[in-house]
Amino acid sequence: MSESSLSALAAQLAAKQISSRELAQHYLDRIAALNPAINAFITVDADRTLAEAAAADALRAAGNAGPLTGVPIAHKDIFCTDGWLTTCGSKMLHNFVAPYDAHVIQRFKAAGMPSLGKTNMDEFAMGSSNETSYFGAVKNPWNTAYVPGGSSGGAAACVAARMAPAATGTDTGGSIRQPAALCGITGLKPTYGLVSRFGMVAFASSLDQAGPMAPSAEDCTLLLNVMTGFDPNDSTSLEREKEDYTRDLEKPLSGLRVGLPREFFAEGLNNEVAAAVEAAVTDLQKLGATTVEISLANSQLAIPVYYVLAPAEASSNLSRFDGVRYGYRAPEYTNLDDMYCKTRAQGFGAEVKRRILIGAYVLSHGYYDAYYLQAQKIRRLIANDFGEAFKTCDVILGPTAPGTAFKLGEKSGDPVEMYLNDLYTIPANLAGLPGMSLPCGFDSKGLPIGLQLVGNYFSEAKMLNVAHQYQRATDWHARAPEGLE
Amino acid sequence: MKWETVIGLEVHTQLATRSKIFSGSSTAFGAAPNTQASAVDIALPGVLPVLNRGAVEYAIKFGLAIGATLNRVNVFDRKSYFYPDLPKGYQISQLAKPIVEGGALKIQVGETERIIHLTRAHLEEDAGKSLHEDFHGMTGIDLNRAGTPLLEIVSEPEMRSSAEAVAYARALHTLVTWIGICDGNMQEGSFRVDANVSVRPAGQTEFGTRREIKNLNSFRFLQQAIDYEVRWQIETLEDGGRIEQATVLFDPDKVETRMMRSKEEAHDYRYFPDPDLLPIKLDEDWIEAVRATLTELPVAMQARFQSEYGVSAYDAAVLTGSRALADYFETAAKACDQGKLAANWVMGELSAALNKAELDIAQSPVSAAQLGALITRIQDGTLSGKLAKQVFEGLWEGAGEVDAIIEARGLKQMSDSGELEKIIDAVLAANPKSVEEFRSGKDKAFNALVGQVMKASKGRANPAQVNERLKARLHN
């Protein structure tokens, strides 16, 4: 499979050069070969995948194929999938099979895209390295001693290792963009409300947003066309006219104003990452863009604000995992309280427990005003900074993460060090803005570097235009790790 | 020492929507356990609440009916605690910004009228049910009720006796059923009352420490629980004890309250705005559309009954005890054009018969039109009060329409004076002793003669006419 972009695969399927079944089998074989080393998948079910692929072939034979019918995709294990396990990377849901499909899954099914399986992730999407998964850490395909980033680490790794042509991810504080950066692929977090959260296991409801992950911006564009749309089952889903995100892909970048937040190029940023991002800026200038320095002064407060709000919502969202109705229940207990305590003590991992405790604390009587309310105010200030910035620029550019992938175990003992990995990605979540990460080089260890674009609300088409034009002029996104076999 | 009782009520009214407040499941009562619990009600991972606008409209309707402020932007909060019948581990409720604030309700205790102010009313979802009895050593969970819409209506602590509390609860019950937002079925838990009760020395301005009596599901229990609680608090204080803030339960068998949890054991509910739900925004069009569905309210109808039908304030309050009763009264009153008489019949004969048969006004075997026709026959002299009661019995038994019963049973009041004179002749002839006694000054004997005439006429003679004619004859 030399040419595996989604449009190329779609063209081959349309030309009947390959069937969906053959394509699915190709990826299943690759998963079987590589997954033991990478651990990108929690659940693979070849029979189901092939049945879905056969259905896609039948759809095509009947003349009912859509643009991506027959192209397979891997789904993050946070999306409920009828008939498949949905574990969310947790012992708590190690045995859970949802009786329904998440809205996102429904859309991919309706598009005729077979599922390759459920990808590994940090437990309940809490983590930046994929080391908190109950099903074991995911390895970075560029160097298996390194983390793939998180929480959508399995998704990023399976795409980077070409075990899947594309994957779904979710992003609460950078969980699509940071692993995309660390694995050398492209990933997009849409404007909050553009993609329905129905059937997505909730981490922090006001921040969670699903998005596409694939090698290129063009791939992400095609996936975004499938994923977005109003859903009456999600009250925060936005009721707006459906867009075709491919419409601006080929626009030239002349006149584009790129905002460079000075806070994102300051202390804490790895030199090699800085150099690669600056080189990308030069590339964009060659394509006709101009740059303008902007300030996102309150973004330095993004991490503390995030680590009040996200755990607050998480502590509440995870209350339903109590051992009463489904999921894990402690085998032995003496009474109801003991059942709750043991179930949750045994069912949740350390990072999840840490965040539940933080969240319960900041919502407690007497602390709510000082933490939760204060954080909400700062959240507003952070959003206002972006509003000001977009008066002078069309898109904001900076590094996705302060460094490249780190070694497995290197930061897992130090939560704060780990949290700092999301320094540049969290502000977009707090503001509800769309953001994406795309590959822009490699460090001296051969690990990928990602640059981040943040756009104004609903400016996905613009961001994808910038990313696509950049990717037409560069080939970072086309590189894949070698020697995995 | 003289003590004053202070009572405030929190009433959970189940809103009569067909589906739940955040899911499409049915709210019908009595289905097999967990057959009306969807993925949302069970709180499976990833599911999201979607607000039922019907519940909001009912809350608006209530707010308009009590003259409250409707918060144009109101917010759902999560109230967190762990319990097996609370599937999400939190209840969606409204804390800081409820949909309804303020408002007032008129209550009538005997001849006294009072205005009770309301603090607020907020929307929330009900929890499921824990079934402790049916499973040995285990607890069953039924989530059919989980997610049923509730309007929690909170009064100011303005009631000063159990009688006032009951009057308030009744007036509220009348109102919510009147405007059709609640079926009012207390046995099924559609209208549940929590009473906050405290006592203080008469004249003291600050409140005493309150205890909250939970989940009273009848007016009688409300009265008994408050009376017991007030006695207990006064005795405790008079014995030198202190009242600790607490939540208590009422045991209707022992007629006493007992401690459920103390203030120290109270939950920290960790309220915060629910990020899955947008704030409810009420625009004027929506409010006006709901206002247009409001029909005449009890208070307005009471005033109208007094002016239009000349009934007393007390009678007007009784007659507007329910929409069905008020409609019945008015139909009957219009049919006979005799408001006061209609009120007397509805509150007297009819109510007594309904009570005895344990029937609701809606199930009355005697229709309002029939009662009106009956009263018309009293008014036109066809029936005496006594005969009318016999006709009423006929109506109750379903023996036909008023005139047909009168005809068939020969209950028509005697209008032919010739016939009456004949009866009097016969009675006088047959009772010479009584006639003699009357003439010698014994008034009692007259009554005996009247009784004889009435008896001989089988009750059909007009008593006033009998009196008059008999006197005329005896004084001859």
Side-chain angles (χ1 to χ4, degrees):
Chain A
M1 210 68 43
S2 54
E3 175 55 281
S4 60
S5 75
L6 297 190
S7 57
L9 294 177
Q12 290 163 42
L13 286 161
K16 312 239 162 93
Q17 289 164 356
I18 191 168
S19 70
S20 178
R21 235 185 111 85
E22 289 165 332
L23 197 55
Q25 190 61 59
H26 162 81
Y27 285 107
L28 288 170
D29 291 346
R30 202 163 161 84
I31 291 167
L34 300 185
N35 200 51
I38 306 293
N39 197 28
F41 284 87
I42 292 173
T43 302
V44 177
D45 184 338
D47 291 344
R48 261 177 200 281
T49 300
L50 291 172
E52 288 183 26
D57 284 330
L59 206 61
R60 184 173 297 284
N64 294 326
L68 293 176
T69 296
V71 177
I73 186 167
H75 293 301
K76 187 176 181 179
D77 209 19
I78 200 168
F79 294 103
C80 286
T81 37
D82 194 352
W84 301 71
L85 277 176
T86 298
T87 71
C88 221
S90 181
K91 182 180 183 180
M92 191 57 96
L93 290 176
H94 74 286
N95 59 357
F96 177 70
V97 178
Y100 49 87
D101 282 322
H103 183 82
V104 165
I105 302 295
Q106 291 170 24
R107 285 188 168 266
F108 281 113
K109 270 194 178 170
M113 297 177 70
S115 168
L116 286 169
K118 308 292 293 288
T119 64
N120 204 342
M121 55 183 287
D122 278 298
E123 185 179 9
F124 285 106
M126 298 176 190
S128 308
S129 68
N130 224 300
E131 293 166 292
T132 71
S133 170
Y134 173 66
F135 301 90
V138 178
K139 319 294 184 347
N140 191 318
W142 292 91
N143 185 332
T144 53
Y146 286 77
V147 303
S151 66
S152 310
C158 81
V159 171
R162 304 301 189 251
M163 288 190 271
T168 52
T170 62
D171 190 315
T172 304
S175 281
I176 287 175
R177 290 161 290 160
Q178 186 257 14
L182 269 50
C183 288
I185 66 161
T186 305
L188 183 147
K189 179 201 95 73
T191 302
Y192 182 81
L194 217 50
V195 177
S196 167
R197 294 184 295 113
F198 180 83
M200 213 172 99
V201 182
F203 162 15
S205 312
S206 75
L207 300 159
D208 296 343
Q209 189 63 195
M213 302 174 79
S216 74
E218 188 199 24
D219 296 336
C220 287
T221 309
L222 297 173
L223 296 169
L224 195 62
N225 272 352
V226 177
M227 294 176 84
T228 56
F230 174 65
D231 174 13
N233 288 321
D234 174 0
S235 307
T236 62
S237 168
L238 296 163
E239 205 165 355
R240 46 197 324 276
E241 215 168 301
K242 187 119 170 98
E243 285 185 57
D244 175 9
Y245 294 101
T246 63
R247 66 180 192 273
D248 291 337
L249 278 182
E250 302 302 339
K251 270 195 179 171
L253 298 187
S254 48
L256 178 79
R257 298 170 303 166
V258 176
L260 304 173
R262 75 172 76 95
E263 294 83 2
F264 285 17
F265 292 90
E267 202 186 336
L269 179 61
N270 168 294
N271 287 336
E272 290 183 279
V273 173
V277 172
E278 277 154 20
V281 171
T282 308
D283 290 336
L284 287 174
Q285 284 169 332
K286 284 183 197 151
L287 294 171
T290 57
T291 59
V292 49
E293 191 183 271
I294 58 161
S295 173
L296 299 171
N298 290 296
S299 62
Q300 59 178 335
L301 298 170
I303 287 190
V305 164
Y306 178 84
Y307 280 98
V308 169
L309 298 181
E313 293 184 21
S315 72
S316 166
N317 283 331
L318 270 58
S319 296
R320 68 187 58 196
F321 305 114
D322 57 6
V324 174
R325 284 145 294 129
Y326 51 80
Y328 179 76
R329 182 191 289 183
E332 286 171 26
Y333 46 87
T334 54
N335 57 35
L336 178 63
D337 282 347
D338 194 43
M339 193 278 281
Y340 282 145
C341 290
K342 291 212 168 96
T343 293
R344 289 167 66 84
Q346 295 163 14
F348 290 136
E351 182 61 28
V352 171
K353 283 184 232 176
R354 176 160 31 242
R355 297 200 196 187
I356 289 173
L357 283 175
I358 294 170
Y361 179 81
V362 301
L363 291 176
S364 299
H365 188 70
Y367 297 95
Y368 179 82
D369 290 5
Y371 290 101
Y372 184 84
L373 273 190
Q374 201 66 13
Q376 286 290 25
K377 286 180 196 162
I378 300 170
R379 180 178 188 172
R380 176 54 60 106
L381 296 178
I382 289 169
N384 290 347
D385 280 356
F386 280 107
E388 280 302 306
F390 284 121
K391 287 178 183 167
T392 61
C393 67
D394 303 309
V395 66
I396 293 169
L397 185 151
T400 304
T404 53
F406 43 93
K407 279 193 169 150
L408 286 155
E410 186 182 330
K411 296 186 180 180
S412 50
D414 185 346
V416 174
E417 181 70 17
M418 186 73 86
Y419 297 167
L420 285 171
N421 237 268
D422 297 329
L423 180 63
Y424 305 131
T425 48
I426 284 173
N429 297 87
L430 290 171
L433 291 166
M436 65 185 294
S437 178
L438 50 153
C440 68
F442 291 86
D443 70 1
S444 51
K445 288 178 284 200
L447 294 167
I449 297 171
L451 76 78
Q452 179 180 218
L453 298 174
V454 176
N456 211 339
Y457 300 105
F458 311 116
S459 70
E460 283 80 1
K462 165 65 71 185
M463 276 193 334
L464 287 161
N465 165 227
V466 175
H468 179 61
Q469 291 304 310
Y470 174 76
Q471 291 183 339
R472 282 190 56 172
T474 58
D475 72 345
W476 305 114
H477 66 288
R479 301 200 193 176
E482 285 167 11
L484 282 170
E485 296 85 359
Chain B
M1 190 181 310
K2 201 169 153 43
W3 296 91
E4 182 179 50
T5 301
V6 176
I7 303 162
L9 298 188
E10 294 172 20
V11 180
H12 289 87
T13 50
Q14 188 175 309
L15 297 177
T17 55
R18 268 172 304 182
S19 60
K20 294 185 178 178
I21 185 166
F22 299 120
S23 83
S25 312
S26 167
T27 54
F29 180 84
N34 298 309
T35 53
Q36 286 170 182
S38 68
V40 172
D41 307 321
I42 297 171
L44 288 180
V47 297
L48 295 169
V50 176
L51 177 62
N52 179 346
R53 283 171 61 94
V56 178
E57 284 172 11
Y58 282 178
I60 295 173
K61 209 167 178 181
F62 177 74
L64 292 172
I66 58 162
T69 302
L70 291 167
N71 282 326
R72 296 307 192 264
V73 177
N74 57 94
V75 176
F76 283 111
D77 296 293
R78 292 183 181 179
K79 175 182 182 178
S80 295
Y81 63 93
F82 284 99
Y83 204 67
D85 60 23
L86 186 72
K88 294 188 292 295
Y90 58 84
Q91 176 194 29
I92 303 177
S93 181
Q94 297 191 306
L95 179 70
K97 290 172 187 153
I99 184 163
V100 173
E101 276 187 275
L105 203 58
K106 183 171 81 71
I107 65 168
Q108 184 96 28
V109 182
E111 296 299 324
T112 315
E113 216 177 272
R114 276 205 64 196
I115 300 294
I116 302 297
H117 295 91
L118 279 75
T119 315
R120 56 184 280 157
H122 65 257
L123 286 165
E124 62 183 28
E125 58 179 341
D126 209 343
K129 273 183 190 158
S130 292
L131 310 166
H132 298 292
E133 283 84 22
D134 307 353
F135 306 90
H136 181 68
M138 292 187 286
T139 296
I141 306 294
D142 178 5
L143 296 178
N144 283 352
R145 202 181 63 182
T148 297
L150 300 176
L151 188 67
E152 181 174 340
I153 302 164
V154 183
S155 83
E156 289 289 300
E158 292 183 345
M159 286 149 275
R160 295 291 175 263
S161 68
S162 61
E164 285 188 359
V166 169
Y168 166 83
R170 281 191 184 279
L172 190 63
H173 186 267
T174 296
L175 182 66
V176 295
T177 50
W178 189 282
I179 61 177
I181 66 169
C182 175
D183 69 16
N185 190 323
M186 295 179 79
Q187 261 98 53
E188 292 177 6
S190 297
F191 190 90
R192 312 194 288 268
V193 183
D194 300 341
N196 282 291
V197 179
S198 65
V199 297
R200 62 183 171 189
Q204 181 180 304
T205 48
E206 58 271 32
F207 293 128
T209 304
R210 70 172 194 270
R211 306 212 313 164
E212 182 180 15
I213 314 167
K214 279 277 185 205
N215 251 331
L216 298 160
N217 66 357
S218 85
F219 297 121
R220 191 161 57 95
F221 292 165
L222 174 63
Q223 173 120 30
Q224 289 175 340
I226 291 173
D227 288 344
Y228 174 86
E229 181 64 23
V230 166
R231 262 199 321 275
W232 182 86
Q233 288 190 18
I234 291 172
E235 276 170 22
T236 302
L237 291 169
E238 288 185 341
D239 290 348
R242 282 184 40 178
I243 305 295
E244 303 283 351
Q245 194 175 321
T247 304
V248 302
L249 285 175
F250 176 66
D251 182 338
D253 298 326
K254 294 182 181 161
V255 196
E256 62 183 33
T257 59
R258 59 183 155 78
M259 179 92 127
M260 187 175 143
R261 58 173 177 261
S262 70
K263 194 190 177 190
E264 285 69 33
E265 296 165 280
H267 297 290
D268 180 347
Y269 290 119
R270 306 190 303 280
Y271 279 100
F272 78 106
D274 191 329
D276 286 334
L277 290 160
L278 304 175
I280 307 176
K281 291 189 175 141
L282 308 180
D283 60 41
E284 301 313 309
D285 287 350
W286 196 8
I287 293 170
E288 288 317 308
V290 175
R291 195 193 302 276
T293 67
L294 270 181
T295 50
E296 189 179 27
L297 294 170
V299 172
M301 205 177 258
Q302 283 167 25
R304 191 166 60 77
F305 280 5
Q306 288 178 58
S307 63
E308 217 165 282
Y309 301 109
V311 302
S312 70
Y314 176 82
D315 288 0
V318 173
L319 290 169
T320 53
S322 79
R323 178 94 224 184
L325 182 63
D327 286 345
Y328 188 104
F329 161 71
E330 187 149 36
T331 304
K334 282 211 168 106
C336 62
D337 202 20
Q338 290 294 322
K340 273 203 73 103
L341 209 49
N344 291 344
W345 271 87
V346 170
M347 294 166 62
E349 203 70 19
L350 178 68
S351 287
L354 289 171
N355 277 345
K356 197 173 158 199
E358 291 183 359
L359 290 176
D360 195 76
I361 183 75
Q363 304 159 304
S364 170
V366 180
S367 75
Q370 288 174 328
L371 189 68
L374 177 65
I375 295 167
T376 303
R377 288 289 167 263
I378 299 169
Q379 193 56 29
D380 68 13
T382 308
L383 294 174
S384 65
K386 201 167 174 189
L387 284 174
K389 283 180 188 173
Q390 292 180 47
V391 176
F392 180 84
E393 276 163 26
L395 289 170
W396 186 271
E397 292 154 7
E401 295 305 317
V402 172
D403 288 345
I405 294 171
I406 293 171
E407 195 61 40
R409 302 192 179 183
L411 297 174
K412 203 170 186 172
Q413 191 160 255
M414 210 170 280
S415 55
D416 182 345
S417 55
E419 195 184 348
L420 180 59
E421 294 298 339
K422 275 183 199 153
I423 292 172
I424 291 174
D425 285 344
V427 166
L428 293 180
N431 294 281
K433 204 174 160 208
S434 296
V435 173
E436 202 51 44
E437 281 176 11
F438 175 77
R439 287 195 168 134
S440 64
K442 286 190 179 163
D443 285 349
K444 260 189 185 169
F446 180 74
N447 291 342
L449 288 168
V450 169
Q452 288 299 323
V453 173
M454 290 307 292
K455 193 177 168 191
S457 77
K458 297 187 181 115
R460 288 162 55 243
N462 181 331
Q465 208 181 352
V466 172
N467 265 307
E468 185 206 276
R469 292 306 310 148
L470 203 54
K471 272 186 190 149
R473 291 286 296 277
L474 290 168
H475 286 124
N476 269 343

